[in-house]
Amino acid sequence: MEKTVYNSFPLHPECPDVRRLADNPAEALLRAEADIVAAENAAEFDRYRTLEDLEEAQQDGRGVTRRTFVAGAAATATALATAQFVTTSASFAATKTGTLIHVFLYGGLDGLSLVAPDNDPVLAKARPDLLLGNDSLALGRGFKLTSAFKPLEKWLAAGQLGFIPAVSDERLSRSHFQAADACNLGGLPNETGGRGWLDGLVDNLGKGTAFRSVGVGSTLPRSLVGNNGALSLNRVGSLRLNGEERFRAATEKAIKGLFTGINHPVEEAVQEGMGALATAQKLAAKPYQPAEGVKYEGVGNAFQQLAQLIKGGANVRVATVGMGGYDTHENQGTREGGQLHRRLNELANAMAAFFTDLGPQAADVTIMVSSEFGRRVGSNTGGTDHGHGGVVTLLSGKKLAGSLLGTWNGLDKLDSGDVPEYNNMFNVYGAVAQGRFGLTNAEVDKVFPRQKYAPMKLYA
């Protein structure tokens, strides 16, 4: 039976019969869909060009009124003020509660190359080529820490750096995509409705500024997708109105005038968006100068953007930083000079620079570092394959309960060659957030649907 496709655009500009586009039916449908998308994109371009003409007409006094804009719906404001801001619900009289930064290491970090039990016979037999070196740092409960984290030794000694081993969840597979998705959502998509766990967390934090949820990067991570209008940015200075520089001041003035006193829901959103833009412009007015002696490199550049926002009073509540390069099937290089050692050292240097730069304000910040899964205990001769039982790292302005946190029952009984799950990932996430923001158990429960939260003692 032939299926009829209904669409406002023809299947093909020259040939409406999809069967004539290719001999292969699947290829023909693919070409037809591509033509439809191209037509839709062209129409969208024309719509934005019309909005641009309206903007220029208003600037030139050619009779475009506030009523014209409102009648055109809130999409007009979105096009002019940029969609990152108009969906934000914010109040600049925010209560200070601190900041949680989730650093996600894409690829699946081998947790046993970060922290591991010292002189463990299972490790000595299963991965003799991937053991931590003699230059490792001592942790509590008979563990040691890779020398790549020496830049953070100061905070380790102060009780502000800690590690939770054997972290996983039974719903995580060995697929990068599936596991990373579940980690960022706080469960499976059908459990969460596709909403990120950090966005759910923001529900419990009350109103905040337009910068209360920030993802540093070119796209918004799944953990921030949801109802609270998170921002995605590569750098603070990139937050500005679209369009030519010579029109921006006039456009901003026009938007403020057109969307003031109109008794319409879009008014609050636009005014808050303009406030966010003003804050970004103020912070970016001159080059950012870190604290003396602080140098940001590599992934540290993402932390620099957060330092600029936090020190500038933007009141960031939750933020994310992503870092790739942790899928180490070969040439893993756990010791100094190795590939993984270099990646971890870059991360440690960035975190040390960030906390040094923040100075006293670091007391209100917690960094949580995690990955989509751990890796198998045994070496595959130079690397490790996908597994479970990863490690979560905490660097916090609040003193921690120890340098090795959570439950650890050893490696005598592996889970199909993996580190067993001794600490549930979402209990860890919840406990980190609870300790940072002072949440109740019931509030944490709401962040992770279908997961009964079991509190963990992570802070002193």
Side-chain angles (χ1 to χ4, degrees):
M1 179 177 178
E2 188 171 321
K3 184 177 180 181
T4 303
V5 179
Y6 296 97
N7 197 284
S8 57
F9 297 97
L11 286 175
H12 190 274
E14 301 176 53
C15 177
D17 186 354
V18 67
R19 292 170 297 184
R20 292 171 55 191
L21 294 179
D23 293 334
N24 184 305
E27 184 180 344
L29 286 172
L30 185 63
R31 288 186 60 191
E33 182 179 357
D35 290 325
I36 291 171
V37 171
E40 290 174 342
N41 285 343
E44 188 71 1
F45 177 82
D46 289 341
R47 186 175 74 87
Y48 274 83
R49 176 59 62 86
T50 300
L51 292 172
E52 205 171 277
D53 291 341
L54 286 174
E55 174 194 340
E56 291 182 1
Q58 196 280 333
Q59 293 170 20
D60 294 342
R62 296 200 298 256
V64 180
T65 66
R66 178 174 67 192
R67 185 173 182 176
T68 304
F69 274 79
V70 176
T76 307
T78 304
L80 295 177
T82 170
Q84 287 187 325
F85 296 115
V86 297
T87 56
T88 300
S89 175
S91 166
F92 280 84
T95 302
K96 183 179 179 182
T97 58
T99 305
L100 173 61
I101 300 168
H102 186 192
V103 179
F104 201 84
L105 306 181
Y106 289 94
L109 169 68
D110 178 35
L112 292 170
S113 290
L114 176 61
V115 297
D118 195 11
N119 295 320
D120 187 278
V122 175
L123 296 182
K125 181 177 180 180
R127 51 165 61 202
D129 55 329
L130 297 176
L131 298 176
L132 294 179
N134 294 328
D135 57 352
S136 300
L137 307 176
L139 292 181
R141 295 161 64 182
F143 269 65
K144 57 184 178 181
L145 167 67
T146 174
S147 60
F149 262 46
K150 278 188 177 179
L152 292 168
E153 194 168 12
K154 165 186 172 182
W155 290 274
L156 177 63
Q160 295 174 267
L161 178 65
F163 303 87
I164 305 115
V167 177
S168 190
D169 184 271
E170 63 182 5
R171 290 167 288 188
L172 302 182
S173 73
R174 288 184 172 85
S175 159
H176 289 296
F177 177 82
Q178 188 275 347
D181 205 38
C183 292
N184 280 294
L185 294 176
L188 300 179
N190 64 345
E191 298 172 350
T192 64
R195 187 184 186 196
W197 81 274
L198 285 175
D199 188 72
L201 172 61
V202 170
D203 286 349
N204 294 299
L205 303 183
K207 286 193 171 184
T209 72
F211 295 97
R212 66 177 179 168
S213 304
V214 177
V216 182
S218 56
T219 58
L220 195 68
R222 292 273 273 173
S223 59
L224 289 175
V225 170
N227 306 328
N228 289 294
L231 305 181
S232 176
L233 58 89
N234 282 310
R235 53 187 180 84
V236 174
S238 66
L239 298 178
R240 58 184 184 178
L241 288 175
N242 292 324
E244 294 185 46
E245 183 69 40
R246 61 195 177 104
F247 291 133
R248 283 191 184 128
T251 302
E252 183 176 341
K253 182 178 179 180
I255 293 171
K256 286 180 179 178
L258 288 166
F259 293 94
T260 299
I262 61 175
N263 191 27
H264 190 282
V266 76
E267 176 183 359
E268 180 183 358
V270 170
Q271 296 300 328
E272 290 160 354
M274 292 297 101
L277 286 168
T279 300
Q281 290 166 5
K282 180 181 177 182
L283 293 176
K286 58 181 180 180
Y288 177 68
Q289 291 295 327
E292 185 177 356
V294 171
K295 185 177 182 181
Y296 288 106
E297 295 179 318
V299 72
N301 291 310
F303 283 97
Q304 179 178 320
Q305 308 311 309
L306 295 176
Q308 185 174 4
L309 288 172
I310 293 170
K311 291 169 71 175
N315 212 349
V316 178
R317 298 288 185 82
V318 298
T320 63
V321 172
M323 185 182 185
Y326 289 89
D327 195 14
T328 53
H329 288 281
E330 58 186 7
N331 300 320
Q332 183 162 305
T334 297
R335 301 193 183 196
E336 186 173 1
Q339 175 186 202
L340 182 56
H341 192 280
R342 289 195 301 271
R343 296 300 284 163
L344 290 171
N345 188 244
E346 178 185 330
L347 174 63
N349 275 310
M351 292 165 66
F354 179 58
F355 257 47
T356 301
D357 193 10
L358 290 181
Q361 288 177 273
D364 298 316
V365 175
T366 295
I367 299 174
M368 179 179 75
V369 183
S370 68
S371 191
E372 64 260 44
F373 44 59
R375 306 188 79 85
R376 296 180 68 76
V377 173
S379 167
N380 63 14
T381 312
T384 48
D385 297 322
H386 301 178
H388 292 297
V391 172
V392 171
T393 300
L394 289 183
L395 176 62
S396 180
K398 296 180 66 175
K399 192 169 183 179
L400 301 174
S403 58
L404 193 83
L405 303 159
T407 300
W408 176 255
N409 291 328
L411 296 172
D412 293 335
K413 295 182 180 180
L414 300 183
D415 180 10
S416 300
D418 296 341
V419 177
E421 178 193 320
Y422 292 138
N423 301 289
N424 180 265
M425 175 172 285
F426 303 126
N427 286 338
V428 174
Y429 283 11
V432 172
Q434 183 174 47
R436 176 70 271 169
F437 297 113
L439 305 177
T440 65
N441 290 352
E443 288 172 327
V444 177
D445 257 334
K446 294 178 181 178
V447 177
F448 303 102
R450 301 188 189 179
Q451 164 89 11
K452 183 61 180 174
Y453 172 59
M456 298 177 61
K457 183 174 177 56
L458 300 180
Y459 299 89

